[in-house]
Amino acid sequence: MSKVNNKNVEQNVNDKDIIERYIYDVTRRVPEKQRQDIRLELTSLIEDMCEEEGATVEEVLEKLGSPAEFAKRYRDENNYIIGPDYYDNYIWVLKIGALATVISSIISAIIHGILSAGGFDDFINEFFKEGISAGISGLYTLVGIVTIVFVVLERLKVKVDIKPEDKWTPSSLPALPEKKALLSRGESIASIIIYVVLIGIFVFVPEIFGVFESTDNGFRSVSNVFNLENWNSIVPWFVGILGIAVFDDIVKVIYGKYCKAVMYSSIICNVISFGCIVVIFKFKDVWNPSFAKDLLAYTGKEAYSEGDILRFWGTDRISNIVIAFIFVISCLEIGVTVYKSLKYSEK
Amino acid sequence: MEKDLVESLLSELRRGTLILGVLSQLDESRYGYALIQSLEEKGMSIDANTLYPLLRRLEKQELLCSEWNTEEAKPRKYYKRTEYGDTVYKIMIEQWNKISEGMAGLIGGNE
């Protein structure tokens, strides 16, 4: 008699265990805040089914089906980070970005190879070392940037779409865009590639900005323009600028023509990346402080003549010139985009 | 392959009617398993892994409201139609009647 009881107890423990495992396997796949609720609800359900249908726990669980499937039905349907509307563009931009990264790493690798004073063997060696490391970290960065941008756009779109739309009539169809209003994909491709290559150079081979002397063994660096010791704290700002530029291009690809969205994106992106430039050149010790001194020592002169820009090395003036230059370019770009967007956007 | 197609067509056909069926039973509050039973009794079978998530969704859409009853041995979540749910339910019935009339004409006419 007691043996039978023991068996029952054992069976009960087993059942409890398997129910708990089932419920855990469902709830671990649903959003945190629903877990407790679903756990309680499923516990009662399974107990009810066992009692009312006289079925074993195994039979009941089999009827309920796979926990993964159950959990999938519990989750909200639009549980994706990039939806079908943007998917094609996402893949497209990723491909362009990958291409740009490959080009950028090859260019960085060539520069690196040339600057590594040494023979052909050294060149090949440095080329592959730099190329592979720049390629891998570049790809990670780019996939990250593009994905984040699309996720942000997806969330923004969801927000915009929730707003009630005015009643649609055929007359509310947008006019066919004028040819001049269209933004060409080729331009976006070019822009992404140029940005990736330029930023790639700043990130991976900033030593190219400098003065070199030609020796029998290739090139030898005399001095760097930039403060390479401090470079690690500057790189993130360049990556930020790249991210913002890619964002702007993605908006252009998605809308395909000058419109309000493209206009706002252009304004915001230009302002933010101008901000990054100001940070880099005003607050980051970007210049190599001994550049002018190194050059003087190399040329053997005592001092620079009047009007020579290097006279101002170590003062704010050079940073100010760069910032003013970028400021003018940003203003021009904003101006052109705003003008075209206002001109071509439907009334 | 073809079996999959038929199955997905059938489940699409059933989806809308399930919601109507579920709403019809929730003029008084019921918990999930009781609802499965009462639907089954009346000839509509629904799997628990369809019903439970559906109840949650209808609650999110404010057609249903729910309340936990923890006084009995097993804690149970009771669902009931809201006022808004009543309104929607009535509109759905009207539409259903129109559809079934129309379909009867279409399908019946072929025989």
Side-chain angles (χ1 to χ4, degrees):
Chain A
M1 190 67 192
S2 84
K3 236 184 183 170
V4 175
N5 264 344
N6 270 344
K7 226 177 182 180
N8 272 344
V9 170
E10 225 169 76
Q11 185 60 37
N12 273 341
V13 171
N14 252 344
D15 284 351
K16 247 189 148 153
D17 184 53
I18 199 166
I19 291 174
E20 264 173 33
R21 275 160 55 196
Y22 184 88
I23 291 174
Y24 170 74
D25 209 25
V26 175
T27 50
R28 76 187 171 92
R29 298 167 207 253
V30 300
E32 178 77 42
K33 46 179 184 187
Q34 294 181 16
R35 277 185 198 162
Q36 181 57 19
D37 226 33
I38 291 176
R39 189 175 302 131
L40 282 174
E41 165 174 290
L42 289 188
T43 313
S44 306
L45 170 70
I46 293 169
E47 284 173 15
D48 278 344
M49 285 176 83
C50 289
E51 282 167 24
E52 302 270 329
E53 293 169 24
T56 66
V57 169
E58 272 87 358
E59 283 164 347
V60 166
L61 295 187
E62 219 154 285
K63 202 170 164 196
L64 289 179
S66 113
E69 177 64 26
F70 208 147
K72 198 172 114 198
R73 297 183 184 193
Y74 262 124
R75 287 194 299 258
D76 279 341
E77 269 157 40
N78 55 349
N79 226 344
Y80 46 75
I81 54 170
I82 293 162
D85 284 356
Y86 286 163
Y87 181 78
D88 289 340
N89 280 328
Y90 173 62
I91 296 298
W92 187 80
V93 174
L94 269 190
K95 282 184 190 158
I96 302 298
L99 175 74
T101 310
V102 170
I103 296 175
S104 161
S105 341
I106 291 175
I107 293 176
S108 296
I110 291 175
I111 296 173
H112 208 82
I114 292 174
L115 297 190
S116 65
F120 184 70
D121 283 353
D122 263 3
F123 173 82
I124 294 295
N125 206 352
E126 286 294 316
F127 177 85
F128 280 108
K129 223 169 67 189
E130 175 66 16
I132 289 170
S133 82
I136 291 173
S137 55
L139 276 180
Y140 278 132
T141 310
L142 198 111
V143 170
I145 288 176
V146 173
T147 305
I148 290 170
V149 169
F150 272 97
V151 170
V152 168
L153 288 173
E154 182 73 49
R155 300 278 163 254
L156 286 178
K157 184 190 68 167
V158 168
K159 248 191 197 160
V160 171
D161 284 356
I162 286 172
K163 280 188 200 155
E165 214 180 334
D166 293 340
K167 191 173 160 30
W168 184 86
T169 63
S171 63
S172 53
L173 280 170
L176 288 178
E178 280 178 58
K179 241 194 167 155
K180 279 187 201 157
L182 292 176
L183 285 157
S184 86
R185 288 197 152 202
E187 245 171 70
S188 297
I189 296 178
S191 159
I192 289 175
I193 292 178
I194 290 171
Y195 263 104
V196 171
V197 168
L198 273 182
I199 301 285
I201 289 173
F202 275 105
V203 171
F204 293 117
V205 279
E207 58 266 34
I208 190 173
F209 303 98
V211 173
F212 297 89
E213 64 174 339
S214 177
T215 68
D216 294 340
N217 274 336
F219 295 97
R220 195 186 70 83
S221 169
V222 173
S223 187
N224 291 305
V225 171
F226 293 119
N227 185 358
L228 299 192
E229 277 166 32
N230 194 23
W231 210 239
N232 280 343
S233 79
I234 294 172
V235 162
W237 293 93
F238 279 115
V239 175
I241 291 176
L242 175 65
I244 291 154
V246 170
F247 180 97
D248 197 25
D249 276 313
I250 289 174
V251 170
K252 284 182 179 154
V253 166
I254 287 176
Y255 286 91
K257 63 181 167 80
Y258 285 103
C259 59
K260 289 271 164 61
V262 167
M263 180 174 91
Y264 292 133
S265 154
S266 170
I267 295 173
I268 293 168
C269 290
N270 270 297
V271 168
I272 296 177
S273 66
F274 179 70
C276 290
I277 292 286
V278 170
V279 170
I280 291 174
F281 285 96
K282 273 290 194 193
F283 301 103
K284 279 288 172 191
D285 288 333
V286 69
W287 307 108
N288 175 9
S290 62
F291 179 64
K293 217 171 61 200
D294 291 347
L295 277 197
L296 276 184
Y298 179 67
T299 54
K301 284 188 195 161
E302 288 294 312
Y304 288 102
S305 52
E306 298 260 325
D308 197 323
I309 192 171
L310 284 172
R311 230 160 36 93
F312 303 114
W313 202 262
T315 66
D316 252 358
R317 201 168 293 195
I318 296 174
S319 288
N320 289 345
I321 292 171
V322 173
I323 290 173
F325 180 68
I326 304 278
F327 180 76
V328 171
I329 291 182
S330 301
C331 286
L332 277 178
E333 204 182 317
I334 291 178
V336 170
T337 315
V338 169
Y339 172 75
K340 289 194 176 174
S341 302
L342 291 180
K343 190 172 167 195
Y344 297 126
S345 72
E346 322 90 47
K347 271 101 210 168
Chain B
M1 188 74 180
E2 244 177 50
K3 207 179 150 205
D4 280 357
L5 175 68
V6 173
E7 236 155 64
S8 86
L9 287 173
L10 286 180
S11 87
E12 231 165 277
L13 190 57
R14 271 163 49 84
R15 193 172 304 149
T17 64
L18 283 180
I19 295 177
L20 191 52
V22 167
L23 286 179
S24 76
Q25 299 304 299
L26 291 177
D27 48 341
E28 52 186 273
S29 40
R30 284 194 161 93
Y31 61 94
Y33 186 63
L35 186 54
I36 293 182
Q37 285 177 314
S38 84
L39 284 169
E40 195 122 339
E41 249 168 52
K42 290 166 181 148
M44 178 179 253
S45 77
I46 182 168
D47 288 330
N49 68 3
T50 306
L51 179 71
Y52 277 67
L54 176 62
L55 287 172
R56 215 161 258 278
R57 202 159 63 236
L58 293 176
E59 186 185 9
K60 202 175 162 195
Q61 292 165 342
E62 295 174 3
L63 298 172
L64 300 178
C65 53
S66 72
E67 207 176 359
W68 277 100
N69 180 341
T70 46
E71 280 162 26
E72 287 167 51
K74 283 177 220 154
R76 283 181 173 132
K77 198 176 188 184
Y78 281 79
Y79 287 92
K80 192 179 186 316
R81 277 205 311 260
T82 58
E83 229 169 87
Y84 177 53
D86 287 340
T87 318
V88 172
Y89 175 57
K90 270 183 208 135
I91 298 172
M92 284 179 81
I93 293 178
E94 271 170 41
Q95 189 62 34
W96 171 257
N97 287 336
K98 269 189 217 161
I99 292 174
S100 66
E101 245 171 67
M103 289 309 290
L106 286 173
I107 301 172
N110 276 344
E111 275 171 17

